[in-house]
Amino acid sequence: MALSRRNFLTLLPAALGAGTWLKAAAYGEFTVMTVTGPVNPFGLGPVLPHEHVMVDFIGADKIQPGRYNQDEVFNTVLPYLKNLKAAGCNAMGECTPDFLGRDPLLLKRLSETTGLKIITNTGLYGAAAHKYLPAYVETSGPEQLAERWIGEFRNGIGDTGIRPGFIKSGVDKGPLSNLQKKIVRAAALTSKETGLPVWIHTGDGAAALEEAAILKSEGVFLGKYTWVHAQNEKDLSIHEQLAKAGAFISLDGLNKNSAEDYISRLTFLKEKGLLQQVLLSHDAGWYHVGEPGGGNFRDYNFLWTTFIPMLKEKGFTEQDIRKLTVSNPARALTISPPNPRRLT
Ligand SMILES: [Zn+2]
């Protein structure tokens, strides 16, 4: 599953433009930011880009430190991450945002113990009718929100020294509410300043088109954008349209019930020559804060133990599988030079 530099380069989407990439690569500006520090995207290995270690659904108005015992969460999650590492996965995007139970120190502890690279995020989640947005979002402009997130990238989250590797936002189905538009705009401003990728939990295709339009209007190239939960949309022409524009299509609810549907979506995108724009994950885990023992924890193994053999049976090649598990997520997590004009 090793990713050669040659493969990585040939798999780059029209996205960055080879000239820009090569020029920037010469400056060593491309990186993936994990909770234990920056790593070379070429060395990331197999990745699950969208999973969770812990989530607290209490709401932004009630969430507070001390609602869980970190040792208990650590001990509950540890065997699942060890299993995942043993299955051949080397890195995980941990998609729990701030105000939903993001705990960078817990992630760092788990990463150091297992050797699994973990990537955390900055940003705010505006889906679920704003339940997870703190009150200050109402009175802040997108610039002020972006300032907080840029600060987390530059200085670390709180006083942990741990830096986010992507912006995680969230919206419901379209049309977007004003607050949702505001946080997408703030994500765009943050990305332009830092080079961080923008990943947005999205209710449907209409919302995806709207957020892509906002990002573009702010000058963010769509190669920086990941449409999270693209499986929520049945109209595959929207997948095709956004993938052609450079966006990553995240099919991230993989399990035994969704496997057949995912294979038909992957087959469609492969036939369109767009497999290099697809991400696969389970959206599994997680320790539920507030439930005894963390409630029902779902493991992260289906892709490795069952789905890859299914793909092979359907004619997907080793190279296809390498795209889906290694090079695509590495590209979707790569922090590229923030603004092309700074390259000149
Ligand atoms: Zn998720």
Side-chain angles (χ1 to χ4, degrees), residues 255-321:
N255 59 48
K256 64 179 185 333
N257 299 321
S258 62
E260 288 297 335
D261 176 49
Y262 278 38
I263 284 179
S264 65
R265 288 170 188 261
L266 289 167
T267 303
F268 171 85
L269 289 161
K270 184 179 174 180
E271 282 169 0
K272 297 287 180 186
L274 294 168
L275 206 59
Q276 74 278 10
Q277 296 307 113
V278 185
L279 305 176
L280 282 177
S281 284
H282 310 92
D283 199 8
W286 52 72
Y287 184 101
H288 296 70
V289 176
E291 294 186 21
N296 176 33
F297 200 103
R298 289 176 292 132
D299 71 47
Y300 312 104
N301 296 333
F302 182 79
L303 172 65
W304 317 101
T305 59
T306 311
F307 194 64
I308 288 176
M310 282 174 80
L311 286 174
K312 287 181 179 165
E313 208 170 286
K314 299 283 181 184
F316 285 81
T317 64
E318 287 290 344
Q319 196 195 8
D320 293 335
I321 290 160

Side-chain angles (χ1 to χ4, degrees), residues 198-210:
V198 180
W199 293 15
I200 310 178
H201 165 118
T202 302
D204 65 0
L209 291 169
E210 205 178 333

Side-chain angles (χ1 to χ4, degrees), residues 42 56 58 66 69 89 92 101 108 126 146 149 164 177 194 208 216 227 241 261 282 295 303 316 332 342:
F42 297 115
D56 186 348
I58 190 79
N69 177 320
C89 181
M92 172 192 281
K108 187 178 181 191
W149 305 345
S177 69
T194 60
K216 271 173 76 174
W227 172 10
Q241 181 186 338
D261 176 49
H282 310 92
L303 172 65
F316 285 81
R342 288 168 66 165

Side-chain angles (χ1 to χ4, degrees), residues 50-52 95 168 201 228-229 283 286:
H50 188 118
E51 308 292 342
H52 297 271
C95 290
K168 172 75 192 294
H201 165 118
V228 173
H229 305 328
D283 199 8
W286 52 72

